[in-house]
């Protein structure tokens, strides 16, 4: 009788063990089934690949800051940028050699007809700069036009010293030059002493040349030069926002086709530009957020 009771208990214990194992096994499979999609989604969201940009030298500070911030968030993505000038950047885009063409000006109708789409990411002021020892600190629009078209050639005509005005500009194809001449309505009328191929080159030349005058992106102005006001209005963010300072232009990151038609990496790049972090990067380099 005791033996039979022991057998019964043993059978019951064995059944209980089998039931527990089956239950645990079922639970394990269920957990595995839940975990697999989660792991796959995580892997899918870890972006990898390369984004290429080319174009405006004026946009270098913005691009470098944005690249660093974006790649910190997405370590698997490499972002490269070449600063070859606005027209060259848009041309590279249209030829398919880069994902994004940077232009520090509005896109031309011809560029749009070929498929380039204008994506304004920031607003920049164009500062008129002179050497630090120049006594002239304010110009009217009419005076600035006269200087760049060769009608006024000496600073004494503007209340300054008896020194020749050395007119410095950017090379043909520069977005800064295009915007500057378009805003002042002096396209193809400028009388340049020198045409330089980068923002840094203009700053260096103006800072080291007595009597020189040039134009550069507002965010690039440093202590080596003096920024002249225009019509009594300083080149400053608040004055650009209010519309009182007239020399302002867009920073464009052009795509071939709409952003929605781009690959995942490029779509994420533009989403990042519009994010809170991206907006902080834009304002952090002295640019204005587009309306």
């Amino acid at each position: 009788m005791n033996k039979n009771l022991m057998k019964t208990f043993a059978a019951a214990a064995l059944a209980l063990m089998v039931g527990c194992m089956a239950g645990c096994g079922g639970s394990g499979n269920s957990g595995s089934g839940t975990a697999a999609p989660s792991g796959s989604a995580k892997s899918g969201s870890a972006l990898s690949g390369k984004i290429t940009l080319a174009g405006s030298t004026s946009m270098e500070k913005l691009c470098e800051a944005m690249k660093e911030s974006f790649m910190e968030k997405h370590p698997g993505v490499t972002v490269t940028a070449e600063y070859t000038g606005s027209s060259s950047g848009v041309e590279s885009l249209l030829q398919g050699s880069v994902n994004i063409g940077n232009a520090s000006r509005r896109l031309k109708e011809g560029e749009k007809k070929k498929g380039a789409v204008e994506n304004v990411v920031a607003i920049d002021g164009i500062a008129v700069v002179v050497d630090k020892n120049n006594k002239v600190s304010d110009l009217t629009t009419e005076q600035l036009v006269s200087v760049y078209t060769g009608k006024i050639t000496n600073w004494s005509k503007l209340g300054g010293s008896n020194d020749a005005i050395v007119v410095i500009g950017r090379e043909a194809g520069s977005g800064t030059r295009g915007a500057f001449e378009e805003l002042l309505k002096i396209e193809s009328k400028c009388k340049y002493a020198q045409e330089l191929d980068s923002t840094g080159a203009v700053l260096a030349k103006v800072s080291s040349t007595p009597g020189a005058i040039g134009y550069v992106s507002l965010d690039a102005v440093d202590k080596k030069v003096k920024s002249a006001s225009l019509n009594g209005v300083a080149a400053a963010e608040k004055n650009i926002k209010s519309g009182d300072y007239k020399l302002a232009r867009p920073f464009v990151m052009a795509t071939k086709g709409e952003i929605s038609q781009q690959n995942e990496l490029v779509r994420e790049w533009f989403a990042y530009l519009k994010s809170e972090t991206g907006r902080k990067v834009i304002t952090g380099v002295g640019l204005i957020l587009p309306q």
Side-chain angles (χ1 to χ4, degrees), residues 203-259:
L203 285 170
K205 188 64 180 179
V206 172
S207 66
S208 63
T209 307
I213 184 171
Y215 49 80
V216 296
S217 177
L218 176 60
D219 71 292
V221 176
D222 57 28
K223 295 180 180 179
K224 296 178 182 177
V225 295
K226 182 169 72 173
S227 177
S229 57
L230 188 62
N231 301 314
V233 180
E237 180 179 338
K238 64 177 183 179
N239 296 330
I240 293 170
K241 284 183 174 180
S242 68
D244 294 326
Y245 186 79
K246 303 301 182 183
L247 291 181
R249 44 71 184 274
F251 273 0
V252 172
M253 289 189 176
T255 50
K256 193 170 184 179
E258 300 293 338
I259 293 174

Side-chain angles (χ1 to χ4, degrees), residues 95-109:
Q95 290 177 346
S97 57
V98 296
N99 302 118
I100 297 169
N102 293 332
S104 51
R105 56 164 172 77
R106 292 286 180 187
L107 293 186
K108 299 173 182 177
E109 287 306 312

Side-chain angles (χ1 to χ4, degrees), residues 167-172 177 190 192-198 202:
V167 180
I168 305 299
R170 289 293 306 280
E171 81 287 3
R177 172 171 168 168
C190 292
Y192 294 111
Q194 278 190 272
E195 299 176 32
L196 304 177
D197 62 3
S198 71
V202 173

Side-chain angles (χ1 to χ4, degrees), residues 16-268:
L16 180 62
M17 288 176 64
V18 171
C20 286
M21 289 176 67
C24 289
S27 176
N29 290 338
S30 175
S32 174
T34 302
S38 175
S40 298
K42 186 174 182 181
S43 298
S45 65
L47 296 177
S48 63
K50 187 175 182 179
I51 302 172
T52 54
L53 304 91
S56 171
T57 64
S58 297
M59 293 174 66
E60 181 173 0
K61 186 183 290 187
L62 169 63
C63 285
E64 291 301 312
M66 196 62 71
K67 277 172 51 182
E68 182 179 345
S69 181
F70 186 84
M71 289 191 291
E72 184 176 347
K73 181 180 180 181
H74 300 289
V77 178
T78 300
V79 183
T80 64
E82 295 182 355
Y83 305 104
T84 55
S86 296
S87 294
S88 177
V90 178
E91 184 178 349
S92 294
L93 168 73
L94 294 174
Q95 290 177 346
S97 57
V98 296
N99 302 118
I100 297 169
N102 293 332
S104 51
R105 56 164 172 77
R106 292 286 180 187
L107 293 186
K108 299 173 182 177
E109 287 306 312
E111 294 168 336
K112 292 180 180 179
K113 287 180 181 178
K114 292 178 181 178
V117 174
E118 183 178 278
N119 307 300
V120 178
V121 298
I123 303 298
D124 177 48
I126 299 176
V128 177
V129 293
V130 297
D131 70 279
K132 289 184 68 174
N133 296 321
N134 198 316
K135 296 178 182 179
V136 177
S137 57
D138 180 65
L139 294 166
T140 66
T141 301
E142 183 178 359
Q143 288 172 334
L144 185 59
V145 167
S146 294
V147 166
Y148 270 87
T149 55
K151 294 177 181 177
I152 295 178
T153 59
N154 196 290
W155 286 107
S156 62
K157 300 291 185 181
L158 301 170
S161 303
N162 183 25
D163 294 314
I165 300 175
V166 183
V167 180
I168 305 299
R170 289 293 306 280
E171 81 287 3
S174 159
T176 309
R177 172 171 168 168
F180 179 80
E181 293 183 359
E182 181 181 346
L183 288 166
L184 293 176
K185 296 180 173 56
I186 53 175
E187 298 99 321
S188 304
K189 298 178 183 178
C190 292
K191 307 294 183 183
Y192 294 111
Q194 278 190 272
E195 299 176 32
L196 304 177
D197 62 3
S198 71
T199 300
V202 173
L203 285 170
K205 188 64 180 179
V206 172
S207 66
S208 63
T209 307
I213 184 171
Y215 49 80
V216 296
S217 177
L218 176 60
D219 71 292
V221 176
D222 57 28
K223 295 180 180 179
K224 296 178 182 177
V225 295
K226 182 169 72 173
S227 177
S229 57
L230 188 62
N231 301 314
V233 180
E237 180 179 338
K238 64 177 183 179
N239 296 330
I240 293 170
K241 284 183 174 180
S242 68
D244 294 326
Y245 186 79
K246 303 301 182 183
L247 291 181
R249 44 71 184 274
F251 273 0
V252 172
M253 289 189 176
T255 50
K256 193 170 184 179
E258 300 293 338
I259 293 174
S260 60
Q261 298 174 299
Q262 308 306 307
N263 64 43
E264 182 183 12
L265 292 181
V266 175
R267 294 198 307 271
E268 180 60 27

